[in-house]
Amino acid sequence: MHSVRFTAETSSDGVVERDFTVGEVPGVLWSPVSGSGSVSGRAPLVLLGHGGGQDKRAPGMVGRARRLVTGCGFTVAAVDAPGHGGRPRTAADERQIAALRQAMAAGEPVGPIVVRYNAELAERAVPEWRATLDALQELPEIGAGGPVGYFGLTMGTAIGVPLTAADPRITAAVFGVFWHDSLTEAARQITVPVEFALQWDDEHIPRESGLALFDAFASKEKTLHANAGTHMALPRFEADSAVRFFARHLGRAGTSPA
Amino acid sequence: MHSVRFTAETSSDGVVERDFTVGEVPGVLWSPVSGSGSVSGRAPLVLLGHGGGQDKRAPGMVGRARRLVTGCGFTVAAVDAPGHGGRPRTAADERQIAALRQAMAAGEPVGPIVVRYNAELAERAVPEWRATLDALQELPEIGAGGPVGYFGLTMGTAIGVPLTAADPRITAAVFGVFWHDSLTEAARQITVPVEFALQWDDEHIPRESGLALFDAFASKEKTLHANAGTHMALPRFEADSAVRFFARHLGRAGTSPA
């Protein structure tokens, strides 16, 4: 098994940000300045999955990470998905991306291409995430057995749903803004609390497809947040809602969201 | 026009609670101890509508009122709906209630009866609410022209949707847990921000009916919160979400929810 290898460290506004690799996979770990390295074990950890074409340090990722660290005292990890953030692309990646660009240029539906491409990426990304989690739990400030959350929308959902179905260490998850087609079977295996976001006027994802994916989760506790607006117009307050969701489900006594 | 006549006043934990009447309609006004009577005009006001068979002082009503007062510094008003909270029932009220009890005892669908009865109540309740709002806005600590919200689920939605459609003073509203049948037309006239709750496994209200009502609002900003669970199992955190919604849409600078 690979260990976490730290390659850089910066700190600002109470948050320590450390670049790391686990094998070939590059990641970032955000943690509270006060808690970093000084608390032993069982600190809540949230895994952040980025969207398609983005990477571990996209502005939305950093914003969510900082909210979770400063609001709840959690540790947060993100990795670059296969073919993303400067990681090498396979010939299959290149073909899918070319097909996607062609469809967008021609004004044709992108859904079938995104669904297929992201399902392929998930097959590679899920084992990477699990190996990363193995390695992170070897760190003294995280430890094994602590609560783990997963937070990822769009491609982060395409990867996160099969990851959460496969890995019993993940005990709460925020997903959203994806088609049901490739994910229904994995969603039916998920029983942990889920918050799921969709855009009511999504120009790419049919409303019924998003509702069907929410419906598929076997979780006793699940909440759908559907907002008026198009695919990219998810309101910023949904990030705060996700932070509160993790505070409820992963939080230690005394922690509360900002 | 009727004025507000105060009949009793108590105070606890930072909240002043005053009983009042406007004409024949009994109500309660909750306000911050520090602000009561001392601030002039334009304080945000939230109108709370209770559920069927409940009244202005039901535990859920008091809980929401206290959250809005202590969390945001808002003033909150509730009144008893016609035929509720000890107010006289008409012969028509008695017939509808008897029909409802009979259907429940026989295990028959209550939806058609509730929809019809609540539509009748709304015809009487909307003018009462508007007269109450006229009178409340004459009070120096509320004043005319300040932001007004409406918050009511179940029967509070059956009354609140036509009220919000009719009264341009209401600039943000939280509704939920009701059928679409009688309310679609009024909902189509509503353009202010709306947060709407439904229960995904409601044994009385078909999922499609709740989704159709959410869909009908013409509001550019609207959010659906659908939670797993039965008709009566709305999670308590939805009350906190409603408080944050009003803080966003009615709040003055410097106020924030608890």
Short mmCIF file of all heavy atoms in Angstrom, two decimals, chain A residues 43 48 58 66 74 92 96 99 113 129 147 160 168 175 197 205 232 237 242:
data_model
loop_
_atom_site.label_atom_id
_atom_site.label_comp_id
_atom_site.label_asym_id
_atom_site.label_seq_id
_atom_site.Cartn_x
_atom_site.Cartn_y
_atom_site.Cartn_z
N ALA A 43 -10.62 12.25 13.86
CA ALA A 43 -11.13 13.56 13.42
C ALA A 43 -11.97 13.35 12.17
O ALA A 43 -11.57 12.61 11.28
CB ALA A 43 -9.98 14.50 13.12
N LEU A 48 -13.57 15.55 -0.98
CA LEU A 48 -14.20 16.43 -1.97
C LEU A 48 -13.90 15.94 -3.38
O LEU A 48 -12.73 15.82 -3.76
CB LEU A 48 -13.63 17.85 -1.88
CG LEU A 48 -14.01 18.76 -0.73
CD1 LEU A 48 -13.49 20.18 -1.03
CD2 LEU A 48 -15.51 18.80 -0.52
N ALA A 58 -9.89 23.78 -7.87
CA ALA A 58 -10.85 24.71 -8.48
C ALA A 58 -11.41 25.61 -7.38
O ALA A 58 -11.50 25.19 -6.22
CB ALA A 58 -11.97 23.92 -9.16
N ARG A 66 -12.45 25.24 2.76
CA ARG A 66 -12.24 26.23 3.83
C ARG A 66 -13.45 26.33 4.76
O ARG A 66 -13.32 26.47 5.96
CB ARG A 66 -11.91 27.60 3.24
CG ARG A 66 -10.60 27.62 2.42
CD ARG A 66 -10.13 29.04 2.15
NE ARG A 66 -9.61 29.64 3.36
CZ ARG A 66 -8.33 29.63 3.73
NH1 ARG A 66 -7.42 29.09 2.93
NH2 ARG A 66 -7.96 30.16 4.86
N PHE A 74 -13.19 20.26 10.59
CA PHE A 74 -12.94 19.00 9.90
C PHE A 74 -11.64 19.07 9.10
O PHE A 74 -11.14 20.16 8.80
CB PHE A 74 -14.08 18.68 8.92
CG PHE A 74 -15.40 18.39 9.58
CD1 PHE A 74 -16.56 18.31 8.82
CD2 PHE A 74 -15.51 18.19 10.95
CE1 PHE A 74 -17.79 18.04 9.41
CE2 PHE A 74 -16.73 17.91 11.54
CZ PHE A 74 -17.88 17.84 10.77
N ALA A 92 -8.59 6.80 -24.75
CA ALA A 92 -10.05 6.79 -24.56
C ALA A 92 -10.53 8.13 -24.00
O ALA A 92 -11.57 8.66 -24.43
CB ALA A 92 -10.44 5.64 -23.61
N GLN A 96 -13.28 10.67 -25.81
CA GLN A 96 -14.51 11.13 -25.15
C GLN A 96 -14.56 12.66 -25.09
O GLN A 96 -15.61 13.26 -25.30
CB GLN A 96 -14.58 10.57 -23.72
CG GLN A 96 -14.54 9.05 -23.65
CD GLN A 96 -15.90 8.41 -23.86
OE1 GLN A 96 -16.83 9.05 -24.36
NE2 GLN A 96 -16.02 7.14 -23.50
N ALA A 99 -15.40 13.99 -28.47
CA ALA A 99 -16.83 13.79 -28.76
C ALA A 99 -17.68 14.82 -28.03
O ALA A 99 -18.65 15.37 -28.57
CB ALA A 99 -17.24 12.37 -28.35
N ILE A 113 -22.86 11.37 -23.70
CA ILE A 113 -21.39 11.33 -23.69
C ILE A 113 -20.85 11.50 -22.28
O ILE A 113 -19.97 10.74 -21.84
CB ILE A 113 -20.82 12.43 -24.63
CG1 ILE A 113 -21.34 12.22 -26.06
CG2 ILE A 113 -19.29 12.41 -24.60
CD1 ILE A 113 -21.13 13.42 -26.96
N TRP A 129 -9.48 6.57 -4.99
CA TRP A 129 -10.01 7.21 -3.77
C TRP A 129 -9.85 6.28 -2.56
O TRP A 129 -9.50 6.71 -1.46
CB TRP A 129 -11.49 7.55 -3.94
CG TRP A 129 -11.81 8.98 -4.27
CD1 TRP A 129 -12.55 9.43 -5.33
CD2 TRP A 129 -11.46 10.15 -3.51
NE1 TRP A 129 -12.66 10.81 -5.28
CE2 TRP A 129 -12.00 11.27 -4.18
CE3 TRP A 129 -10.72 10.37 -2.34
CZ2 TRP A 129 -11.85 12.58 -3.71
CZ3 TRP A 129 -10.57 11.68 -1.87
CH2 TRP A 129 -11.12 12.76 -2.56
N PRO A 147 -15.31 9.33 11.49
CA PRO A 147 -16.35 9.53 10.47
C PRO A 147 -15.77 10.14 9.19
O PRO A 147 -14.89 10.99 9.24
CB PRO A 147 -17.34 10.48 11.13
CG PRO A 147 -16.61 11.12 12.26
CD PRO A 147 -15.50 10.20 12.66
N GLY A 160 -18.54 9.67 -6.93
CA GLY A 160 -18.86 9.52 -5.51
C GLY A 160 -19.94 8.50 -5.20
O GLY A 160 -19.90 7.86 -4.15
N PRO A 168 -17.59 1.24 2.98
CA PRO A 168 -18.42 1.43 4.18
C PRO A 168 -17.88 2.48 5.15
O PRO A 168 -18.56 2.84 6.10
CB PRO A 168 -18.44 0.04 4.82
CG PRO A 168 -17.21 -0.64 4.32
CD PRO A 168 -16.95 -0.08 2.95
N PHE A 175 -24.41 14.78 -2.84
CA PHE A 175 -24.30 14.55 -4.28
C PHE A 175 -25.20 15.54 -5.02
O PHE A 175 -25.98 16.26 -4.40
CB PHE A 175 -24.77 13.13 -4.63
CG PHE A 175 -24.02 12.01 -3.97
CD1 PHE A 175 -24.71 11.04 -3.23
CD2 PHE A 175 -22.64 11.88 -4.13
CE1 PHE A 175 -24.02 9.98 -2.64
CE2 PHE A 175 -21.95 10.82 -3.54
CZ PHE A 175 -22.65 9.86 -2.81
N ALA A 197 -28.60 17.63 -4.55
CA ALA A 197 -29.00 18.89 -5.19
C ALA A 197 -29.30 18.67 -6.66
O ALA A 197 -28.59 17.91 -7.34
CB ALA A 197 -27.90 19.93 -5.05
N ILE A 205 -29.78 18.05 -17.97
CA ILE A 205 -30.26 16.87 -17.24
C ILE A 205 -31.78 16.96 -17.09
O ILE A 205 -32.29 17.88 -16.44
CB ILE A 205 -29.61 16.79 -15.85
CG1 ILE A 205 -28.08 16.83 -15.98
CG2 ILE A 205 -30.08 15.54 -15.10
CD1 ILE A 205 -27.33 16.88 -14.66
N MET A 232 -25.68 25.35 -14.45
CA MET A 232 -24.53 25.93 -13.77
C MET A 232 -24.91 26.90 -12.66
O MET A 232 -24.04 27.48 -12.02
CB MET A 232 -23.65 26.68 -14.77
CG MET A 232 -23.05 25.80 -15.86
SD MET A 232 -21.89 24.58 -15.16
CE MET A 232 -20.49 25.67 -14.77
N PHE A 237 -25.65 29.28 -1.53
CA PHE A 237 -26.04 28.85 -0.18
C PHE A 237 -26.11 27.33 -0.05
O PHE A 237 -26.16 26.81 1.05
CB PHE A 237 -27.33 29.53 0.29
CG PHE A 237 -28.53 29.34 -0.59
CD1 PHE A 237 -29.18 28.13 -0.67
CD2 PHE A 237 -29.03 30.41 -1.32
CE1 PHE A 237 -30.30 27.97 -1.47
CE2 PHE A 237 -30.16 30.26 -2.13
CZ PHE A 237 -30.79 29.04 -2.21
N ALA A 242 -24.51 22.14 2.71
CA ALA A 242 -23.71 20.91 2.77
C ALA A 242 -22.84 20.88 4.03
O ALA A 242 -22.70 19.85 4.68
CB ALA A 242 -22.86 20.78 1.51
#
